[in-house]
Amino acid sequence: MDEQAELNPPRRGPGRPRKVRPAEAAPVASPVVAPVDPLAPLVTDRRGAGKILGVSVSTIKRLEKSDPDFPRAFAVGAHRDKRLIEDIRGYALKKARVAAESGAA
């Protein structure tokens, strides 16, 4: 009976046939850097800074007090807890560069 099942595949019942999709080509990586999204946020708060750096809000608060290189907050309206996202990324790159230089020495 298994031989018959292999020779005669089961038929589908009445209804809509399956779509046959053509094989898609792999996307080609563009050498051009995508432009910056003009609607992307420029500032973030402690929670956003923690997400960018991969740490908790309490670690961000500790860095504010103890690390003089950590980007300072500024006021946007009534909220004083905003930082430029570019400054936070620059801080992370600076710390990574210092760690790489001290580890290589």
Side-chain angles (χ1 to χ4, degrees):
M1 184 149 165
D2 291 329
E3 295 173 5
Q4 284 182 343
E6 291 177 16
L7 295 175
N8 298 327
R11 291 183 172 221
R12 297 189 71 208
R16 189 173 182 169
R18 289 186 183 166
K19 272 188 181 176
V20 178
R21 297 183 184 192
E24 295 181 18
V28 178
S30 174
V32 178
V33 177
V36 176
D37 182 13
L39 300 177
L42 299 175
V43 296
T44 188
D45 56 1
R46 286 182 179 133
R47 187 180 312 151
K51 285 183 180 182
I52 291 171
L53 296 175
V55 297
S56 66
V57 174
S58 60
T59 302
I60 296 295
K61 289 179 183 179
R62 191 179 72 238
L63 287 172
E64 290 173 350
K65 293 178 183 178
S66 65
D67 192 349
D69 294 334
F70 193 74
R72 296 287 168 217
F74 58 90
V76 175
H79 304 283
R80 189 188 168 273
D81 185 32
K82 303 296 181 186
R83 290 168 182 75
L84 289 173
I85 293 174
E86 182 179 324
D87 290 348
I88 295 169
R89 289 185 177 141
Y91 171 80
L93 292 172
K94 179 180 176 182
K95 289 294 183 178
R97 186 172 47 251
V98 169
E101 289 172 358
S102 66

